[in-house]
Amino acid sequence: MSTIRAIYAHLAQQPIAVDGVTPAAFDLAQLPSYVDSAMLPCRLLTPMNPRSEAREFGFTALGKLAKVTWHLTDLLLWREAATGIGLEDIAPLLIDYVAAYMAMLRQHRSMGQTQAHLISARFTYGTFEWPDQSTHIFDGVSCELDIEEVLSGA
């Protein structure tokens, strides 16, 4: 059986501090339906992203051993987009956040599991809407992770 839920929980438990601030993290079981300014900054761990919703699954041989590649999005919402002059005035913070995130990934490449590992990570700075079609726009970083998990069959 897959340990994907444990992978989400493990990622949510990893603190990523920037400039003395550690954003609260919400995994699948805790995703808020709305984010207000009092919750910022925060991280939302979700599989729902227009660019990274797919999963790949395949058997490695004729037996029951299989590999699945999970595509997770860890979305940092730093502040409401109407604040400041745009991403330019918080670019140093967002760059420091990505550097801290990469350091965390180096320490937790296995995602806390024995049969999983990080394949790749992509970071996109920008403005993001949460929830979708809500018109609530935030400045932040989208961290898209590809995680391979090996499933052994019985």
Side-chain angles (χ1 to χ4, degrees):
M1 179 146 187
S2 175
T3 60
I4 188 61
R5 294 296 297 269
I7 291 170
Y8 274 97
H10 181 79
L11 279 171
Q13 293 169 1
Q14 304 314 309
I16 303 169
V18 176
D19 200 30
V21 177
T22 303
F26 300 93
D27 74 0
L28 289 173
Q30 306 166 319
L31 282 176
S33 59
Y34 179 81
V35 173
D36 63 33
S37 59
M39 298 169 68
L40 298 174
C42 66
R43 296 169 46 210
L44 308 175
L45 283 87
T46 174
M48 279 44 123
N49 182 316
R51 295 179 301 276
S52 65
E53 194 171 334
R55 288 152 276 324
E56 288 120 39
F57 175 85
F59 290 101
T60 59
L62 296 176
K64 294 183 181 180
L65 187 66
K67 289 184 182 179
V68 61
T69 302
W70 298 100
H71 305 287
L72 286 66
T73 299
D74 190 341
L75 179 62
L76 169 72
L77 303 178
W78 188 264
R79 69 176 187 190
E80 294 179 272
T83 308
I85 62 169
L87 290 173
E88 293 80 11
D89 62 337
I90 61 167
L93 286 172
L94 298 181
I95 291 168
D96 290 347
Y97 175 82
V98 170
Y101 200 99
M102 286 190 285
M104 179 276 292
L105 290 176
R106 291 185 67 198
Q107 295 295 316
H108 298 274
R109 185 173 179 213
S110 70
M111 302 292 131
Q113 309 305 308
T114 57
Q115 293 187 264
H117 67 278
L118 177 70
I119 297 173
S120 67
R122 290 170 304 289
F123 302 93
T124 305
Y125 304 95
T127 56
F128 304 94
E129 183 177 29
W130 183 268
D132 194 28
Q133 300 180 10
S134 68
T135 70
H136 294 109
I137 310 296
F138 302 91
D139 293 331
V141 179
S142 175
C143 306
E144 297 178 26
L145 309 176
D146 296 331
I147 300 168
E148 183 177 72
E149 181 182 18
V150 177
L151 306 173
S152 55

